[in-house]
Amino acid sequence: AQSVTQLDSQVPVFEEAPVELRCNYSSSVSVYLFWYVQYPNQGLQLLLKYLSGSTLVKGINGFEAEFNKSQTSFHLRKPSVHISDTAEYFCAVSDLGSNYKLTFGKGTLLTVNP
Amino acid sequence: SQTIHQWPATLVQPVGSPLSLECTVEGTSNPNLYWYRQAAGRGLQLLFYSVGIGQISSEVPQNLSASRPQDRQFILSSKKLLLSDSGFYLCAWSGQGNSPLHFGNGTRLTVT
C-alpha cells in the first residue's frame, strides 16, 4: 500500500517570494502523482499531475513540480506567490492500475502575507 | 464539458437521524465515482468507490453506506448518524485510463 507524507502542515510566506511545498511518497510499484489545491469550503482542484515522461511537470497558476524517483519525492514549487495562492495543498499518489484510488497527504496550508 | 453537482452544501443533523447526500455527474458516461471524507488535519479518507451501476467498494468499516442507482448518480447514506460522522464529505469522479479525479464542492455535515 502506498502512503504520502507532506512534511509541513503550514507554510507562511510573503507575497512575491518563492515557495516549495514538500511531498514524499512510498509505494512498492510505479505510481501516478498529483497536487490538488483547496480553497476554503470548496472541493479540490487539480493543479498538476505526473503520469509518465518528463519529470518536471507544469500546472495551472504558475505552479510546477518535479518527480524524483530516487528520493520518492514530488515537491511543488512556485517562483513568486500571490495573496490569492493562500489555500491548502494536497499531494496524492495512486498505483498504476489502482482504478485511480488516490491516497492523499494530510495537506499543507500555504498562507501568503502582504 | 463535465460537471459534478453535490448537495446540500451544509447540513446539521441530530445524532441518530438518517443521512442522504447526493452527487450527480453531467457530461460523461460510465465514470468512476468516489466518496471521500475530510477531517481537520487528517487529509482525505476514501470511503467508497464505484466503477459501475450497483458496484460499490467500501474502503473502511463504518456507519455509512453508498449506492449507485444510476450511471451518474452516487448517494451516501446512513441509517443512524453518530457524532463521529461529522466532517466534510467530497464526491469525485474520474474517467477511464489516465484520468485524474474531479471533485464536487463538498458537504459540511455537523452531527449534534
Side-chain angles (χ1 to χ4, degrees):
Chain A
Q2 65 267 49
S3 66
V4 178
T5 302
Q6 292 184 243
L7 297 165
D8 305 298
S9 60
Q10 298 186 49
V11 173
V13 295
F14 288 109
E15 194 173 17
E16 298 184 2
V19 70
E20 178 180 81
L21 306 183
R22 296 180 291 169
C23 172
N24 288 88
Y25 69 93
S26 65
S27 176
S28 58
V29 298
S30 297
V31 296
Y32 296 138
L33 293 157
F34 306 84
W35 275 99
Y36 284 83
V37 60
Q38 184 180 33
Y39 299 101
N41 294 313
Q42 293 187 25
L44 279 71
Q45 179 183 5
L46 180 69
L47 272 179
L48 48 80
K49 61 180 186 263
Y50 171 78
L51 304 180
S52 65
S54 173
T55 57
L56 182 62
V57 179
K58 293 188 183 297
I60 63 172
N61 301 341
F63 284 93
E64 64 180 31
E66 186 158 18
F67 171 55
N68 188 318
K69 188 174 182 179
S70 62
Q71 297 186 8
T72 61
S73 68
F74 191 55
H75 301 332
L76 181 71
R77 301 186 184 97
K78 186 170 182 178
S80 177
V81 294
H82 303 290
I83 299 287
S84 59
D85 292 322
T86 295
E88 190 146 25
Y89 292 79
F90 291 92
C91 181
V93 62
S94 73
D95 290 340
L96 301 187
S98 70
N99 219 41
Y100 270 82
K101 291 188 294 175
L102 296 189
T103 298
F104 285 85
K106 292 184 178 181
T108 297
L109 177 61
L110 173 65
T111 303
V112 181
N113 299 301
Chain B
S1 64
Q2 303 92 351
T3 56
I4 179 169
H5 302 281
Q6 189 180 342
W7 67 93
T10 60
L11 188 61
V12 180
Q13 292 282 100
V15 168
S17 63
L19 173 73
S20 180
L21 303 181
E22 190 163 342
C23 172
T24 60
V25 181
E26 296 177 358
T28 187
S29 58
N30 196 30
N32 297 327
L33 296 172
Y34 309 81
W35 279 110
Y36 281 84
R37 178 168 57 201
Q38 184 177 23
R42 298 180 62 182
L44 282 83
Q45 180 185 36
L46 178 62
L47 302 177
F48 303 95
Y49 73 96
S50 170
V51 300
I53 296 174
Q55 300 179 60
I56 309 294
S57 297
S58 174
E59 290 294 296
V60 293
Q62 58 205 317
N63 185 42
L64 303 168
S65 62
S67 62
R68 184 171 178 174
Q70 300 181 44
D71 181 44
R72 291 170 290 175
Q73 183 184 28
F74 205 25
I75 298 171
L76 183 69
S77 303
S78 174
K79 292 182 179 178
K80 289 185 177 181
L81 284 169
L82 306 172
L83 286 174
S84 57
D85 292 324
S86 293
F88 193 50
Y89 290 83
L90 290 157
C91 181
W93 74 271
S94 71
Q96 304 303 318
N98 298 335
S99 175
L101 265 63
H102 304 275
F103 286 84
N105 284 331
T107 295
R108 185 160 303 283
L109 171 65
T110 304
V111 182
T112 59

